[in-house]
Amino acid sequence: MVGPQAAEDPLNAVLAGSPLPPAADLPGRPVLGFLACAAVVRRRAFLEAGGYHPVLFFGGEETLLAYDLAARGWGVTHVPAVTAVHHPDPGERPGRSAVQLRNALLTAWLRRPVPVALRHTAGLGAAAVRGEREAATALRGTLARLPRHCAAASGSPTASNTRPGCWTGRPRDRRPHRRSAHGARHLSGPPDTPPPRRPARGGPRPDTRTTVVVITWNRRAELLRTLRTLRDLPERPRVVVTDNGSGDGTAEAVAREFPEVLLLCPGRNLGAVGRNLAVRHVRTPYVAFCDDDTWWEPGSLRRAADLLDARPAPVAVTARIVVEPSGEEDPVVAELRDSPLTGPDWLPGPALGSFLAAATVMRTDAFREAGGFHAGLWLGGEEELLATDLLRRGHWLCYVPELTIHHAASTVRDSTARRVLGLRNTLWFTWLRRPWRSALRRTGYLMRTVPRDRASARAFALAAAGLPWVLRQRDPVPADLEARLVALERARRTSPARRYVG
């Protein structure tokens, strides 16, 4: 209803007149769309479908999500008995219609068969030729945002997807569905799960509780070595790799040598957000993060799953890191082992205030509920913000020395660029989550102690440039959690692993 006169919105007639046939298990008329400002969605369904697609940004973004919900067997319905009141903004919103046209076309290219997408594009192009400004704007916006690799709703790659084995969209699943307690259908597992491999006679049985997620960018040799090691683990974990737009043939090599690996190719470098994309495809209770230059020691994934099974409160366990080829412990291990935080006696190791994404096994549901890695940070110390948001929800993080991961640092790593990003993200996290007094104190400490060079100056300049969005999203932690962060900050000042050098 539209206030204050409470007149019927014309969209009600569109929803009520849906051409879809009635469904016995739905309370209203089935539809393939909804309005975000007037919808109630099951949280589980929203998380399973991956939420709103980032390429659409805003404006008619609900249709793509509705398609993905329906593809997973969830019912979307219009219920006239449920009412939402809308008070329209009296001000004009320039470009709103063009944005909606653009997103409708992007949705067609992302989920509809190619002939349908071409028909929509031709219609918009004809309108643009006739001089309709909004159609021309929408067409330009579509071409600028259209992913380089685009899969149709059937799941088969289009001609533009030249990389074998890459999934760039969420394919429609053709397998049988199961029914949940509330009557909705949903998938019993991911569509691309390979048949389970039989364990060697007399050997350990595979462990199906954990999926390993790896992000990579232009490190083909290191990634292939890591995947060979993961394939030989006794747990035989399922592996999901996000190739962040590599140009060195990484995707082709993975598809050729590791057909059992689910390979995702977003077509650009998403940084740590590539892990979020991979976790959308995880159906196991636990996800193990791994970099392209790290690999888990045999038995560690099974032991991590056992620990998380036995204790429901810990949300993540971080492993001991061994540097290869020397076999020495990484300097950060001492910081983890000597954590100043105290936790309950039933924790399997010292309580932590953060974690290392390359060496941690985490509960999949908790990762999704916390929103995953923040897109604004991109990469470099991105774990601190997610860890704080997990602690804020009452979860526990801990270090478990009996778990081990090996790290052979990539020879192509740009340590100076990583230092810039790490310092920038430290400042952004501080301004996002710390009270003003602590934020100013930590900023001043960093200004006094980081190297006085071009890299540090660039990091502070980038941090200052991001202040507008940081301040808009600022949400300081409560006093009890801030006390723990203060204790961590003091301990890290003497840690050799926390020096901004490179």
Side-chain angles (χ1 to χ4, degrees):
M1 303 182 71
V2 180
Q5 294 84 9
E8 284 280 339
D9 192 296
L11 283 173
N12 287 336
V14 176
L15 296 172
S18 171
L20 299 182
D25 58 346
L26 292 179
R29 193 78 175 181
V31 294
L32 268 182
F34 63 92
L35 298 173
C37 61
V40 179
V41 183
R42 290 186 186 274
R43 183 180 65 176
R44 178 180 177 182
F46 184 88
L47 293 173
E48 279 186 7
Y52 295 104
H53 199 292
V55 75
L56 303 187
F57 184 63
F58 189 69
E61 69 280 0
E62 302 96 335
T63 302
L64 180 57
L65 177 57
Y67 287 173
D68 291 343
L69 288 168
R72 284 161 171 77
W74 294 99
V76 183
T77 181
H78 169 58
V79 182
V82 179
T83 301
V85 178
H86 177 212
H87 295 272
D89 186 349
E92 290 287 333
R93 291 203 221 176
R96 175 74 172 175
S97 297
V99 169
Q100 290 177 332
L101 286 172
R102 178 201 72 196
N103 286 347
L105 187 53
L106 284 171
T107 299
W109 277 107
L110 285 165
R111 293 295 181 269
R112 304 295 299 278
V114 171
V116 175
L118 288 173
R119 188 164 63 246
H120 282 291
T121 306
L124 203 60
V129 170
R130 291 195 300 268
E132 296 183 20
R133 182 178 301 177
E134 289 183 343
T137 302
L139 194 60
R140 287 195 301 269
T142 301
L143 296 176
R145 288 170 173 79
L146 196 65
R148 190 167 57 186
H149 307 293
C150 194
S154 63
S156 58
T158 66
S160 64
N161 186 357
T162 59
R163 296 185 176 187
C166 288
W167 286 112
T168 56
R170 289 187 285 275
R172 184 185 301 277
D173 197 283
R174 304 294 184 186
R175 297 170 301 111
H177 295 75
R178 59 183 171 86
R179 294 247 175 200
S180 66
H182 50 73
R185 298 182 302 156
H186 50 95
L187 305 182
S188 58
D192 33 21
T193 302
R197 291 170 289 179
R198 294 182 179 178
R201 188 180 299 273
R205 295 180 61 82
D207 192 316
T208 60
R209 294 173 292 176
T210 304
T211 299
V212 178
V213 162
V214 186
I215 57 173
T216 189
W217 182 69
N218 286 336
R219 293 186 186 175
R220 181 177 59 180
E222 288 95 334
L223 176 64
L224 296 181
R225 176 193 59 199
T226 293
L227 293 180
R228 283 191 291 269
T229 306
L230 294 174
R231 183 169 58 186
D232 293 338
L233 290 177
E235 295 93 337
R236 307 285 183 89
R238 182 171 179 260
V239 179
V240 183
V241 172
T242 299
D243 175 28
N244 276 326
S246 297
D248 62 349
T250 293
E252 291 81 359
V254 172
R256 181 177 60 252
E257 298 186 29
F258 300 92
E260 73 277 11
V261 168
L262 174 57
L263 177 62
L264 306 177
C265 302
R268 57 194 177 96
N269 195 342
L270 299 177
V273 180
R275 299 191 188 104
N276 298 358
L277 178 63
V279 173
R280 291 182 184 179
H281 297 263
V282 171
R283 298 297 180 268
T284 54
Y286 310 125
V287 55
F289 296 110
C290 186
D291 281 352
D292 48 20
D293 58 356
T294 66
W295 59 91
W296 287 89
E297 186 169 285
S300 287
L301 293 179
R302 189 186 303 274
R303 180 58 180 153
D306 289 341
L307 292 171
L308 292 171
D309 276 350
R311 300 169 176 85
V315 73
V317 289
T318 297
R320 182 175 69 101
I321 304 172
V322 174
V323 178
E324 300 295 346
S326 68
E328 299 176 349
E329 286 188 346
D330 190 287
V332 78
V333 171
E335 178 183 314
L336 301 175
R337 184 176 54 242
D338 301 328
S339 172
L341 301 185
T342 57
D345 294 339
W346 41 258
L347 276 181
L352 299 179
S354 189
F355 65 95
L356 300 169
T360 295
V361 179
M362 184 176 294
R363 297 185 190 276
T364 307
D365 288 345
F367 178 88
R368 289 171 175 157
E369 288 175 3
F373 294 102
H374 195 291
L377 303 191
W378 193 65
L379 189 70
E382 68 278 2
E383 302 96 336
E384 193 170 18
L385 180 57
L386 175 57
T388 300
D389 290 344
L390 289 168
L391 294 174
R392 195 174 199 168
R393 286 168 167 78
H395 297 301
W396 289 95
L397 316 171
C398 65
Y399 166 65
V400 181
E402 60 189 283
L403 310 178
T404 302
I405 198 165
H406 299 265
H407 179 208
S410 174
T411 57
V412 298
R413 172 180 298 190
D414 187 340
S415 58
T416 300
R418 292 295 293 269
R419 175 161 67 95
V420 171
L421 294 176
L423 180 54
R424 180 202 68 180
N425 287 347
T426 296
L427 290 165
W428 278 350
F429 161 74
T430 300
W431 299 336
L432 280 167
R433 292 293 182 267
R434 305 292 297 275
W436 279 120
R437 181 176 297 179
S438 296
L440 293 173
R441 184 184 65 246
R442 193 178 192 192
T443 301
Y445 174 80
L446 291 172
M447 293 179 69
R448 295 192 306 271
T449 57
V450 298
R452 297 180 179 275
D453 58 9
R454 185 175 299 177
S456 296
R458 185 183 175 202
F460 273 92
L462 290 173
L467 267 179
W469 76 261
V470 169
L471 296 180
R472 284 196 303 269
Q473 298 185 23
R474 177 174 165 77
D475 186 12
V477 299
D480 58 336
L481 181 52
E482 169 60 16
R484 298 164 75 183
L485 296 180
V486 169
L488 284 170
E489 182 183 348
R490 290 171 180 167
R492 289 172 177 173
R493 289 181 179 179
T494 58
S495 171
R498 297 288 173 173
R499 295 173 183 170
Y500 293 97
V501 296

